[in-house]
Amino acid sequence: MTAGDVVVSDPEQDSGPLYESGWSLHRSDGETSDAILQEMVKLGDCLGTRVAGRSGQLREVVQPIVAEDAHPRSLSAQYGLGALPFHIELSHRPRPCRYLLLGCIDPGETPAATTLLDWRKLGFEREELALLEEAPVLVRTGRRSFYSTILAPGGTFLRYDPGCLEPLGERGREAMQLVADRITRAHSYALHWRQGDILIIDNWRVLHGRSRSAHGSGRSLARILIDA
Ligand SMILES: [Fe+2]
């Protein structure tokens, strides 16, 4: 698939970086926020349908913010400018979006890396996968809170976000702890942004986080979410 002259590997095909590592990096031709967003929309349209994020917008610009300014149920409300823990985007929805696209409008004066981690490389044994597929968790999202599991049936996607998942009972606690422990021991990839970088993440497969940021750093990322 192509968007302009940027090639997006088809995740249904057994080749290309998106298939092989669960994420791929692209460069925007233009450097203005409009040009970067336009390129992101083109790439996203090759992959599926855009869905609105927490703000209700199809395109969002995200900046590190202090806890007091954050959406009350977001990770930023808990962690503020500190390192944001690994999570799957839209874990609070019954079906998290399939892809997440981030575009660097400005890396900021004190740049913060985006960290990436493929959950399939966390080395879960068969019994552990069964635990993740069966142990109950409560997904807290206000009046629409619902019960679910960390792993979707058949391992289609992982639902993991310490900001909105609450374990239920002993099994639920065991499952949450298992993922947290494996993440702590895993080697993740740190992407250091340059202006114009566009990152496509297979959100069903790759967890993402953010290293510590600074107040008023100027870091600014455009974000679009894709269902497929
Ligand atoms: Fe996120």
Side-chain angles (χ1 to χ4, degrees):
M1 288 185 278
T2 61
D5 58 354
V6 181
V7 177
V8 185
S9 60
D10 184 342
E12 303 305 324
Q13 305 266 322
D14 300 357
S15 64
L18 197 51
Y19 174 82
E20 276 150 26
S21 60
W23 57 271
S24 61
L25 190 62
H26 307 261
R27 288 286 300 162
S28 161
D29 289 336
E31 295 208 328
T32 64
S33 55
D34 276 355
I36 295 166
L37 256 165
Q38 223 173 30
E39 195 81 29
M40 290 169 69
V41 167
K42 273 202 257 174
L43 290 165
D45 286 348
C46 291
L47 294 166
T49 312
R50 265 178 287 157
V51 290
R54 207 159 219 158
S55 65
Q57 304 295 314
L58 289 174
R59 308 159 164 205
E60 300 166 302
V61 174
V62 288
Q63 286 157 336
I65 44 176
V66 293
E68 297 74 50
D69 295 341
H71 185 288
R73 284 190 297 277
S74 68
L75 280 174
S76 293
Q78 285 181 43
Y79 298 89
L81 297 170
L84 291 186
F86 280 107
H87 62 282
I88 292 292
E89 201 72 8
L90 299 191
S91 280
H92 64 288
R93 301 245 174 106
R95 180 187 148 104
C97 59
R98 176 67 199 271
Y99 298 104
L100 161 66
L101 275 75
L102 296 171
C104 182
I105 295 170
D106 189 337
E109 276 174 30
T110 41
T114 289
T115 44
L116 300 165
L117 183 58
D118 184 346
W119 71 261
R120 296 184 200 169
K121 293 188 179 153
L122 294 177
F124 296 122
E125 305 282 346
R126 187 188 294 233
E127 319 81 70
E128 293 173 331
L129 289 170
L131 172 72
L132 298 179
E133 209 174 308
E134 289 160 18
V137 291
L138 174 64
V139 184
R140 283 220 177 268
T141 177
R143 282 177 293 127
R144 294 194 184 138
S145 298
F146 60 96
Y147 297 108
S148 188
T149 56
I150 294 178
L151 197 60
T156 319
F157 59 81
L158 190 81
R159 180 192 305 284
Y160 185 75
D161 182 339
C164 69
L165 255 60
E166 202 178 293
L168 290 173
E170 196 50 48
R171 295 276 286 168
R173 274 191 290 279
E174 212 183 307
M176 287 289 284
Q177 196 57 53
L178 172 65
V179 180
D181 288 348
R182 287 296 157 82
I183 287 176
T184 308
R185 285 193 274 151
H187 291 290
S188 59
Y189 180 84
L191 176 71
H192 298 280
W193 292 99
R194 293 171 305 161
Q195 188 182 32
D197 280 343
I198 297 174
L199 174 67
I200 303 178
I201 301 173
D202 182 342
N203 187 50
W204 284 6
R205 178 174 159 193
V206 175
L207 297 137
H208 64 281
R210 189 205 67 206
S211 64
R212 172 174 286 279
S213 191
H215 188 52
S217 79
R219 183 189 198 254
S220 177
L221 299 183
R223 174 171 68 190
I224 63 172
L225 310 168
I226 302 291
D227 218 350

